Amino acid sequence: MKTLSKVFLYVPLFAFLLLSCSGDDDTDALVKEGGSFEISELAGNWEATSATFNDGNMMSVNIIDEGGSVSMSVQSSGRFTLTIDPSDRPSYTVSGEMFWEKWEGKYYFAIEWAAYPGDWDTYGATLTASTFTINGGFESGEYDFDNDGTFETASIGFTFVRV
């Protein structure tokens, strides 16, 4: 009889634990659609009309205003390559993937930079027929402000036009 009573105690407890640990489809999903635009709509080539990096203190640079250029190529999957060509140093390329992070029923535009796999940041982003903007908070990007070979954390702001 003791064994049977243990079964009646442990089976419901196990079932409760199993059901309470099941995933919630509405929390922390990484998706390509559902946000204010579909990630596939970004596919193509883009040129920046503004590309700012700001360290939150005294350092700020707009690559375009200083005579440089920034271009981006995006695949329909959201994978992208960003080429930054400052006027005072060699160009460099960074890459990653764009997607939506769905969290608690809301969508947040996110980028996972290839240099930091498994980690992503969320950004403000808008898309019109010809313009794409990205704005990130502190530590949303990196830039070598003093050209010493060491990249410092920075907030970023880009405005692109489709080419």
PDB file of all heavy atoms in Angstrom, residues 45-53 61-72 82-83 126 128 130-135 157-163:
ATOM      1  N   ASN A  45      21.388  46.384 -51.634  1.00  0.00           N
ATOM      2  CA  ASN A  45      22.561  47.190 -51.300  1.00  0.00           C
ATOM      3  C   ASN A  45      22.133  48.560 -50.800  1.00  0.00           C
ATOM      4  O   ASN A  45      21.193  49.156 -51.337  1.00  0.00           O
ATOM      5  CB  ASN A  45      23.466  47.324 -52.520  1.00  0.00           C
ATOM      6  CG  ASN A  45      24.012  45.966 -52.941  1.00  0.00           C
ATOM      7  OD1 ASN A  45      24.504  45.211 -52.122  1.00  0.00           O
ATOM      8  ND2 ASN A  45      23.902  45.653 -54.223  1.00  0.00           N
ATOM      9  N   TRP A  46      22.878  49.056 -49.819  1.00  0.00           N
ATOM     10  CA  TRP A  46      22.560  50.302 -49.146  1.00  0.00           C
ATOM     11  C   TRP A  46      23.811  51.160 -49.006  1.00  0.00           C
ATOM     12  O   TRP A  46      24.895  50.639 -48.805  1.00  0.00           O
ATOM     13  CB  TRP A  46      22.004  50.018 -47.750  1.00  0.00           C
ATOM     14  CG  TRP A  46      20.752  49.204 -47.736  1.00  0.00           C
ATOM     15  CD1 TRP A  46      20.650  47.839 -47.749  1.00  0.00           C
ATOM     16  CD2 TRP A  46      19.419  49.693 -47.697  1.00  0.00           C
ATOM     17  NE1 TRP A  46      19.342  47.453 -47.715  1.00  0.00           N
ATOM     18  CE2 TRP A  46      18.563  48.577 -47.683  1.00  0.00           C
ATOM     19  CE3 TRP A  46      18.873  50.978 -47.664  1.00  0.00           C
ATOM     20  CZ2 TRP A  46      17.182  48.700 -47.643  1.00  0.00           C
ATOM     21  CZ3 TRP A  46      17.492  51.096 -47.621  1.00  0.00           C
ATOM     22  CH2 TRP A  46      16.656  49.977 -47.612  1.00  0.00           C
ATOM     23  N   GLU A  47      23.647  52.485 -49.125  1.00  0.00           N
ATOM     24  CA  GLU A  47      24.723  53.452 -48.878  1.00  0.00           C
ATOM     25  C   GLU A  47      24.283  54.369 -47.740  1.00  0.00           C
ATOM     26  O   GLU A  47      23.144  54.851 -47.734  1.00  0.00           O
ATOM     27  CB  GLU A  47      24.998  54.313 -50.120  1.00  0.00           C
ATOM     28  CG  GLU A  47      25.758  53.620 -51.213  1.00  0.00           C
ATOM     29  CD  GLU A  47      27.207  53.327 -50.852  1.00  0.00           C
ATOM     30  OE1 GLU A  47      27.837  54.132 -50.126  1.00  0.00           O
ATOM     31  OE2 GLU A  47      27.709  52.285 -51.299  1.00  0.00           O
ATOM     32  N   ALA A  48      25.181  54.644 -46.817  1.00  0.00           N
ATOM     33  CA  ALA A  48      24.848  55.516 -45.688  1.00  0.00           C
ATOM     34  C   ALA A  48      24.897  56.979 -46.090  1.00  0.00           C
ATOM     35  O   ALA A  48      25.814  57.413 -46.788  1.00  0.00           O
ATOM     36  CB  ALA A  48      25.801  55.253 -44.532  1.00  0.00           C
ATOM     37  N   THR A  49      23.908  57.724 -45.632  1.00  0.00           N
ATOM     38  CA  THR A  49      23.931  59.183 -45.751  1.00  0.00           C
ATOM     39  C   THR A  49      24.379  59.796 -44.428  1.00  0.00           C
ATOM     40  O   THR A  49      24.734  60.973 -44.383  1.00  0.00           O
ATOM     41  CB  THR A  49      22.552  59.736 -46.141  1.00  0.00           C
ATOM     42  OG1 THR A  49      21.588  59.326 -45.167  1.00  0.00           O
ATOM     43  CG2 THR A  49      22.148  59.229 -47.525  1.00  0.00           C
ATOM     44  N   SER A  50      24.361  59.002 -43.370  1.00  0.00           N
ATOM     45  CA  SER A  50      24.855  59.403 -42.056  1.00  0.00           C
ATOM     46  C   SER A  50      25.313  58.135 -41.336  1.00  0.00           C
ATOM     47  O   SER A  50      24.636  57.105 -41.419  1.00  0.00           O
ATOM     48  CB  SER A  50      23.749  60.098 -41.261  1.00  0.00           C
ATOM     49  OG  SER A  50      24.214  60.413 -39.959  1.00  0.00           O
ATOM     50  N   ALA A  51      26.454  58.199 -40.686  1.00  0.00           N
ATOM     51  CA  ALA A  51      26.986  57.050 -39.955  1.00  0.00           C
ATOM     52  C   ALA A  51      27.758  57.566 -38.751  1.00  0.00           C
ATOM     53  O   ALA A  51      28.913  57.971 -38.861  1.00  0.00           O
ATOM     54  CB  ALA A  51      27.898  56.215 -40.850  1.00  0.00           C
ATOM     55  N   THR A  52      27.093  57.590 -37.599  1.00  0.00           N
ATOM     56  CA  THR A  52      27.706  58.174 -36.410  1.00  0.00           C
ATOM     57  C   THR A  52      28.081  57.115 -35.379  1.00  0.00           C
ATOM     58  O   THR A  52      27.392  56.108 -35.220  1.00  0.00           O
ATOM     59  CB  THR A  52      26.766  59.199 -35.737  1.00  0.00           C
ATOM     60  OG1 THR A  52      25.557  58.544 -35.358  1.00  0.00           O
ATOM     61  CG2 THR A  52      26.468  60.350 -36.646  1.00  0.00           C
ATOM     62  N   PHE A  53      29.187  57.388 -34.718  1.00  0.00           N
ATOM     63  CA  PHE A  53      29.656  56.606 -33.576  1.00  0.00           C
ATOM     64  C   PHE A  53      29.889  57.608 -32.453  1.00  0.00           C
ATOM     65  O   PHE A  53      30.501  58.653 -32.677  1.00  0.00           O
ATOM     66  CB  PHE A  53      30.973  55.885 -33.887  1.00  0.00           C
ATOM     67  CG  PHE A  53      30.855  54.825 -34.937  1.00  0.00           C
ATOM     68  CD1 PHE A  53      30.996  55.145 -36.283  1.00  0.00           C
ATOM     69  CD2 PHE A  53      30.612  53.509 -34.584  1.00  0.00           C
ATOM     70  CE1 PHE A  53      30.908  54.170 -37.257  1.00  0.00           C
ATOM     71  CE2 PHE A  53      30.513  52.521 -35.566  1.00  0.00           C
ATOM     72  CZ  PHE A  53      30.666  52.854 -36.894  1.00  0.00           C
ATOM     73  N   VAL A  61      31.959  60.773 -33.999  1.00  0.00           N
ATOM     74  CA  VAL A  61      32.400  60.881 -35.382  1.00  0.00           C
ATOM     75  C   VAL A  61      31.233  60.520 -36.303  1.00  0.00           C
ATOM     76  O   VAL A  61      30.459  59.615 -35.999  1.00  0.00           O
ATOM     77  CB  VAL A  61      33.634  59.981 -35.662  1.00  0.00           C
ATOM     78  CG1 VAL A  61      33.309  58.522 -35.463  1.00  0.00           C
ATOM     79  CG2 VAL A  61      34.190  60.214 -37.046  1.00  0.00           C
ATOM     80  N   ASN A  62      31.099  61.274 -37.388  1.00  0.00           N
ATOM     81  CA  ASN A  62      30.167  60.930 -38.451  1.00  0.00           C
ATOM     82  C   ASN A  62      31.026  60.641 -39.677  1.00  0.00           C
ATOM     83  O   ASN A  62      31.602  61.557 -40.272  1.00  0.00           O
ATOM     84  CB  ASN A  62      29.173  62.053 -38.735  1.00  0.00           C
ATOM     85  CG  ASN A  62      28.130  61.639 -39.767  1.00  0.00           C
ATOM     86  OD1 ASN A  62      28.407  60.902 -40.703  1.00  0.00           O
ATOM     87  ND2 ASN A  62      26.916  62.116 -39.592  1.00  0.00           N
ATOM     88  N   ILE A  63      31.141  59.381 -40.019  1.00  0.00           N
ATOM     89  CA  ILE A  63      32.017  58.935 -41.112  1.00  0.00           C
ATOM     90  C   ILE A  63      31.711  59.690 -42.405  1.00  0.00           C
ATOM     91  O   ILE A  63      32.625  60.100 -43.127  1.00  0.00           O
ATOM     92  CB  ILE A  63      31.874  57.411 -41.341  1.00  0.00           C
ATOM     93  CG1 ILE A  63      32.173  56.624 -40.063  1.00  0.00           C
ATOM     94  CG2 ILE A  63      32.726  56.941 -42.506  1.00  0.00           C
ATOM     95  CD1 ILE A  63      33.582  56.718 -39.577  1.00  0.00           C
ATOM     96  N   ILE A  64      30.441  59.893 -42.703  1.00  0.00           N
ATOM     97  CA  ILE A  64      30.042  60.535 -43.960  1.00  0.00           C
ATOM     98  C   ILE A  64      30.422  62.010 -43.954  1.00  0.00           C
ATOM     99  O   ILE A  64      31.004  62.519 -44.916  1.00  0.00           O
ATOM    100  CB  ILE A  64      28.525  60.377 -44.202  1.00  0.00           C
ATOM    101  CG1 ILE A  64      28.093  58.909 -44.066  1.00  0.00           C
ATOM    102  CG2 ILE A  64      28.123  60.968 -45.550  1.00  0.00           C
ATOM    103  CD1 ILE A  64      28.873  57.911 -44.891  1.00  0.00           C
ATOM    104  N   ASP A  65      30.120  62.718 -42.863  1.00  0.00           N
ATOM    105  CA  ASP A  65      30.454  64.146 -42.770  1.00  0.00           C
ATOM    106  C   ASP A  65      31.953  64.394 -42.882  1.00  0.00           C
ATOM    107  O   ASP A  65      32.381  65.457 -43.321  1.00  0.00           O
ATOM    108  CB  ASP A  65      29.950  64.746 -41.454  1.00  0.00           C
ATOM    109  CG  ASP A  65      28.443  64.923 -41.431  1.00  0.00           C
ATOM    110  OD1 ASP A  65      27.799  64.741 -42.484  1.00  0.00           O
ATOM    111  OD2 ASP A  65      27.915  65.231 -40.340  1.00  0.00           O
ATOM    112  N   GLU A  66      32.755  63.407 -42.477  1.00  0.00           N
ATOM    113  CA  GLU A  66      34.214  63.556 -42.528  1.00  0.00           C
ATOM    114  C   GLU A  66      34.818  63.045 -43.837  1.00  0.00           C
ATOM    115  O   GLU A  66      36.026  62.879 -43.943  1.00  0.00           O
ATOM    116  CB  GLU A  66      34.841  62.857 -41.325  1.00  0.00           C
ATOM    117  CG  GLU A  66      34.456  63.538 -40.019  1.00  0.00           C
ATOM    118  CD  GLU A  66      35.168  62.970 -38.813  1.00  0.00           C
ATOM    119  OE1 GLU A  66      36.033  62.080 -38.957  1.00  0.00           O
ATOM    120  OE2 GLU A  66      34.855  63.430 -37.701  1.00  0.00           O
ATOM    121  N   GLY A  67      33.973  62.769 -44.831  1.00  0.00           N
ATOM    122  CA  GLY A  67      34.472  62.405 -46.157  1.00  0.00           C
ATOM    123  C   GLY A  67      34.610  60.922 -46.406  1.00  0.00           C
ATOM    124  O   GLY A  67      35.095  60.515 -47.455  1.00  0.00           O
ATOM    125  N   GLY A  68      34.168  60.085 -45.481  1.00  0.00           N
ATOM    126  CA  GLY A  68      34.236  58.639 -45.669  1.00  0.00           C
ATOM    127  C   GLY A  68      32.944  58.093 -46.243  1.00  0.00           C
ATOM    128  O   GLY A  68      32.051  58.843 -46.661  1.00  0.00           O
ATOM    129  N   SER A  69      32.832  56.789 -46.239  1.00  0.00           N
ATOM    130  CA  SER A  69      31.620  56.148 -46.745  1.00  0.00           C
ATOM    131  C   SER A  69      31.334  54.877 -45.947  1.00  0.00           C
ATOM    132  O   SER A  69      32.234  54.293 -45.335  1.00  0.00           O
ATOM    133  CB  SER A  69      31.753  55.812 -48.237  1.00  0.00           C
ATOM    134  OG  SER A  69      32.761  54.833 -48.425  1.00  0.00           O
ATOM    135  N   VAL A  70      30.077  54.490 -45.969  1.00  0.00           N
ATOM    136  CA  VAL A  70      29.637  53.246 -45.336  1.00  0.00           C
ATOM    137  C   VAL A  70      28.633  52.615 -46.279  1.00  0.00           C
ATOM    138  O   VAL A  70      27.689  53.271 -46.738  1.00  0.00           O
ATOM    139  CB  VAL A  70      28.989  53.500 -43.955  1.00  0.00           C
ATOM    140  CG1 VAL A  70      28.425  52.211 -43.378  1.00  0.00           C
ATOM    141  CG2 VAL A  70      29.989  54.125 -42.994  1.00  0.00           C
ATOM    142  N   SER A  71      28.835  51.350 -46.594  1.00  0.00           N
ATOM    143  CA  SER A  71      27.905  50.630 -47.449  1.00  0.00           C
ATOM    144  C   SER A  71      27.537  49.304 -46.793  1.00  0.00           C
ATOM    145  O   SER A  71      28.288  48.772 -45.968  1.00  0.00           O
ATOM    146  CB  SER A  71      28.501  50.396 -48.839  1.00  0.00           C
ATOM    147  OG  SER A  71      29.682  49.629 -48.740  1.00  0.00           O
ATOM    148  N   MET A  72      26.371  48.803 -47.163  1.00  0.00           N
ATOM    149  CA  MET A  72      25.897  47.557 -46.580  1.00  0.00           C
ATOM    150  C   MET A  72      25.200  46.728 -47.647  1.00  0.00           C
ATOM    151  O   MET A  72      24.432  47.254 -48.448  1.00  0.00           O
ATOM    152  CB  MET A  72      24.928  47.851 -45.425  1.00  0.00           C
ATOM    153  CG  MET A  72      24.411  46.612 -44.739  1.00  0.00           C
ATOM    154  SD  MET A  72      23.478  46.958 -43.230  1.00  0.00           S
ATOM    155  CE  MET A  72      22.106  47.915 -43.858  1.00  0.00           C
ATOM    156  N   LEU A  82      28.794  44.906 -43.690  1.00  0.00           N
ATOM    157  CA  LEU A  82      28.867  46.352 -43.563  1.00  0.00           C
ATOM    158  C   LEU A  82      30.310  46.772 -43.775  1.00  0.00           C
ATOM    159  O   LEU A  82      31.208  46.298 -43.076  1.00  0.00           O
ATOM    160  CB  LEU A  82      28.391  46.756 -42.160  1.00  0.00           C
ATOM    161  CG  LEU A  82      28.368  48.217 -41.787  1.00  0.00           C
ATOM    162  CD1 LEU A  82      27.258  48.941 -42.562  1.00  0.00           C
ATOM    163  CD2 LEU A  82      28.115  48.362 -40.292  1.00  0.00           C
ATOM    164  N   THR A  83      30.552  47.633 -44.772  1.00  0.00           N
ATOM    165  CA  THR A  83      31.896  48.128 -45.053  1.00  0.00           C
ATOM    166  C   THR A  83      31.989  49.581 -44.618  1.00  0.00           C
ATOM    167  O   THR A  83      31.227  50.428 -45.099  1.00  0.00           O
ATOM    168  CB  THR A  83      32.239  47.989 -46.544  1.00  0.00           C
ATOM    169  OG1 THR A  83      32.123  46.602 -46.909  1.00  0.00           O
ATOM    170  CG2 THR A  83      33.650  48.475 -46.827  1.00  0.00           C
ATOM    171  N   THR A 126      13.890  51.660 -38.531  1.00  0.00           N
ATOM    172  CA  THR A 126      12.741  51.990 -39.374  1.00  0.00           C
ATOM    173  C   THR A 126      13.110  51.698 -40.821  1.00  0.00           C
ATOM    174  O   THR A 126      14.275  51.804 -41.212  1.00  0.00           O
ATOM    175  CB  THR A 126      12.330  53.474 -39.245  1.00  0.00           C
ATOM    176  OG1 THR A 126      13.433  54.298 -39.630  1.00  0.00           O
ATOM    177  CG2 THR A 126      11.908  53.809 -37.821  1.00  0.00           C
ATOM    178  N   THR A 128      11.545  52.501 -44.824  1.00  0.00           N
ATOM    179  CA  THR A 128      10.579  53.011 -45.797  1.00  0.00           C
ATOM    180  C   THR A 128      10.970  52.410 -47.140  1.00  0.00           C
ATOM    181  O   THR A 128      11.891  51.595 -47.212  1.00  0.00           O
ATOM    182  CB  THR A 128      10.593  54.557 -45.867  1.00  0.00           C
ATOM    183  OG1 THR A 128      11.847  54.983 -46.421  1.00  0.00           O
ATOM    184  CG2 THR A 128      10.375  55.180 -44.499  1.00  0.00           C
ATOM    185  N   SER A 130      12.707  53.587 -49.444  1.00  0.00           N
ATOM    186  CA  SER A 130      14.073  53.881 -49.883  1.00  0.00           C
ATOM    187  C   SER A 130      15.063  54.153 -48.750  1.00  0.00           C
ATOM    188  O   SER A 130      16.242  54.352 -49.023  1.00  0.00           O
ATOM    189  CB  SER A 130      14.054  55.082 -50.833  1.00  0.00           C
ATOM    190  OG  SER A 130      13.531  56.204 -50.156  1.00  0.00           O
ATOM    191  N   THR A 131      14.615  54.182 -47.492  1.00  0.00           N
ATOM    192  CA  THR A 131      15.490  54.548 -46.384  1.00  0.00           C
ATOM    193  C   THR A 131      15.403  53.524 -45.254  1.00  0.00           C
ATOM    194  O   THR A 131      14.315  53.058 -44.910  1.00  0.00           O
ATOM    195  CB  THR A 131      15.102  55.934 -45.825  1.00  0.00           C
ATOM    196  OG1 THR A 131      15.117  56.886 -46.898  1.00  0.00           O
ATOM    197  CG2 THR A 131      16.067  56.391 -44.751  1.00  0.00           C
ATOM    198  N   PHE A 132      16.556  53.218 -44.669  1.00  0.00           N
ATOM    199  CA  PHE A 132      16.640  52.309 -43.531  1.00  0.00           C
ATOM    200  C   PHE A 132      17.481  52.986 -42.456  1.00  0.00           C
ATOM    201  O   PHE A 132      18.582  53.461 -42.741  1.00  0.00           O
ATOM    202  CB  PHE A 132      17.286  50.987 -43.968  1.00  0.00           C
ATOM    203  CG  PHE A 132      17.508  50.003 -42.858  1.00  0.00           C
ATOM    204  CD1 PHE A 132      16.491  49.637 -41.999  1.00  0.00           C
ATOM    205  CD2 PHE A 132      18.757  49.417 -42.689  1.00  0.00           C
ATOM    206  CE1 PHE A 132      16.705  48.717 -40.978  1.00  0.00           C
ATOM    207  CE2 PHE A 132      18.983  48.494 -41.683  1.00  0.00           C
ATOM    208  CZ  PHE A 132      17.954  48.142 -40.824  1.00  0.00           C
ATOM    209  N   THR A 133      16.963  53.096 -41.250  1.00  0.00           N
ATOM    210  CA  THR A 133      17.716  53.702 -40.156  1.00  0.00           C
ATOM    211  C   THR A 133      17.882  52.704 -39.019  1.00  0.00           C
ATOM    212  O   THR A 133      17.001  51.887 -38.759  1.00  0.00           O
ATOM    213  CB  THR A 133      17.026  54.963 -39.597  1.00  0.00           C
ATOM    214  OG1 THR A 133      15.754  54.603 -39.067  1.00  0.00           O
ATOM    215  CG2 THR A 133      16.874  56.030 -40.652  1.00  0.00           C
ATOM    216  N   ILE A 134      19.040  52.776 -38.369  1.00  0.00           N
ATOM    217  CA  ILE A 134      19.354  51.955 -37.200  1.00  0.00           C
ATOM    218  C   ILE A 134      19.932  52.883 -36.141  1.00  0.00           C
ATOM    219  O   ILE A 134      20.849  53.659 -36.429  1.00  0.00           O
ATOM    220  CB  ILE A 134      20.413  50.882 -37.521  1.00  0.00           C
ATOM    221  CG1 ILE A 134      19.993  49.999 -38.674  1.00  0.00           C
ATOM    222  CG2 ILE A 134      20.712  50.037 -36.293  1.00  0.00           C
ATOM    223  CD1 ILE A 134      21.113  49.076 -39.155  1.00  0.00           C
ATOM    224  N   ASN A 135      19.430  52.790 -34.920  1.00  0.00           N
ATOM    225  CA  ASN A 135      19.963  53.560 -33.800  1.00  0.00           C
ATOM    226  C   ASN A 135      20.122  52.631 -32.605  1.00  0.00           C
ATOM    227  O   ASN A 135      19.190  51.916 -32.245  1.00  0.00           O
ATOM    228  CB  ASN A 135      19.029  54.717 -33.437  1.00  0.00           C
ATOM    229  CG  ASN A 135      18.988  55.754 -34.522  1.00  0.00           C
ATOM    230  OD1 ASN A 135      19.993  56.383 -34.799  1.00  0.00           O
ATOM    231  ND2 ASN A 135      17.842  55.914 -35.145  1.00  0.00           N
ATOM    232  N   GLY A 157      24.507  55.137 -34.951  1.00  0.00           N
ATOM    233  CA  GLY A 157      23.345  55.647 -35.660  1.00  0.00           C
ATOM    234  C   GLY A 157      23.654  55.687 -37.144  1.00  0.00           C
ATOM    235  O   GLY A 157      24.608  56.352 -37.555  1.00  0.00           O
ATOM    236  N   PHE A 158      22.882  54.937 -37.930  1.00  0.00           N
ATOM    237  CA  PHE A 158      23.090  54.887 -39.377  1.00  0.00           C
ATOM    238  C   PHE A 158      21.794  55.234 -40.088  1.00  0.00           C
ATOM    239  O   PHE A 158      20.715  54.804 -39.673  1.00  0.00           O
ATOM    240  CB  PHE A 158      23.500  53.488 -39.842  1.00  0.00           C
ATOM    241  CG  PHE A 158      24.826  52.999 -39.334  1.00  0.00           C
ATOM    242  CD1 PHE A 158      24.882  51.915 -38.478  1.00  0.00           C
ATOM    243  CD2 PHE A 158      25.999  53.598 -39.728  1.00  0.00           C
ATOM    244  CE1 PHE A 158      26.107  51.446 -38.002  1.00  0.00           C
ATOM    245  CE2 PHE A 158      27.226  53.129 -39.264  1.00  0.00           C
ATOM    246  CZ  PHE A 158      27.279  52.054 -38.400  1.00  0.00           C
ATOM    247  N   THR A 159      21.911  55.993 -41.162  1.00  0.00           N
ATOM    248  CA  THR A 159      20.806  56.206 -42.088  1.00  0.00           C
ATOM    249  C   THR A 159      21.303  55.761 -43.447  1.00  0.00           C
ATOM    250  O   THR A 159      22.322  56.258 -43.930  1.00  0.00           O
ATOM    251  CB  THR A 159      20.369  57.683 -42.131  1.00  0.00           C
ATOM    252  OG1 THR A 159      19.969  58.078 -40.813  1.00  0.00           O
ATOM    253  CG2 THR A 159      19.203  57.883 -43.104  1.00  0.00           C
ATOM    254  N   PHE A 160      20.596  54.827 -44.050  1.00  0.00           N
ATOM    255  CA  PHE A 160      20.964  54.269 -45.355  1.00  0.00           C
ATOM    256  C   PHE A 160      19.901  54.583 -46.388  1.00  0.00           C
ATOM    257  O   PHE A 160      18.714  54.679 -46.059  1.00  0.00           O
ATOM    258  CB  PHE A 160      21.069  52.734 -45.275  1.00  0.00           C
ATOM    259  CG  PHE A 160      22.204  52.223 -44.442  1.00  0.00           C
ATOM    260  CD1 PHE A 160      21.978  51.816 -43.129  1.00  0.00           C
ATOM    261  CD2 PHE A 160      23.472  52.109 -44.954  1.00  0.00           C
ATOM    262  CE1 PHE A 160      23.001  51.308 -42.350  1.00  0.00           C
ATOM    263  CE2 PHE A 160      24.511  51.613 -44.187  1.00  0.00           C
ATOM    264  CZ  PHE A 160      24.270  51.207 -42.882  1.00  0.00           C
ATOM    265  N   VAL A 161      20.335  54.702 -47.646  1.00  0.00           N
ATOM    266  CA  VAL A 161      19.415  54.751 -48.779  1.00  0.00           C
ATOM    267  C   VAL A 161      19.725  53.560 -49.668  1.00  0.00           C
ATOM    268  O   VAL A 161      20.888  53.133 -49.797  1.00  0.00           O
ATOM    269  CB  VAL A 161      19.511  56.077 -49.568  1.00  0.00           C
ATOM    270  CG1 VAL A 161      19.019  57.232 -48.715  1.00  0.00           C
ATOM    271  CG2 VAL A 161      20.906  56.331 -50.070  1.00  0.00           C
ATOM    272  N   ARG A 162      18.667  53.044 -50.266  1.00  0.00           N
ATOM    273  CA  ARG A 162      18.827  51.877 -51.149  1.00  0.00           C
ATOM    274  C   ARG A 162      19.491  52.310 -52.456  1.00  0.00           C
ATOM    275  O   ARG A 162      19.162  53.355 -53.014  1.00  0.00           O
ATOM    276  CB  ARG A 162      17.459  51.268 -51.429  1.00  0.00           C
ATOM    277  CG  ARG A 162      17.520  49.875 -52.009  1.00  0.00           C
ATOM    278  CD  ARG A 162      16.136  49.300 -52.264  1.00  0.00           C
ATOM    279  NE  ARG A 162      15.354  49.035 -51.079  1.00  0.00           N
ATOM    280  CZ  ARG A 162      15.394  47.908 -50.382  1.00  0.00           C
ATOM    281  NH1 ARG A 162      16.201  46.932 -50.745  1.00  0.00           N
ATOM    282  NH2 ARG A 162      14.613  47.733 -49.333  1.00  0.00           N
ATOM    283  N   VAL A 163      20.462  51.523 -52.918  1.00  0.00           N
ATOM    284  CA  VAL A 163      21.139  51.826 -54.184  1.00  0.00           C
ATOM    285  C   VAL A 163      20.907  50.709 -55.186  1.00  0.00           C
ATOM    286  O   VAL A 163      20.564  49.626 -54.841  1.00  0.00           O
ATOM    287  CB  VAL A 163      22.655  52.057 -54.003  1.00  0.00           C
ATOM    288  CG1 VAL A 163      22.880  53.348 -53.220  1.00  0.00           C
ATOM    289  CG2 VAL A 163      23.330  50.898 -53.334  1.00  0.00           C
TER     290      VAL A 163
END
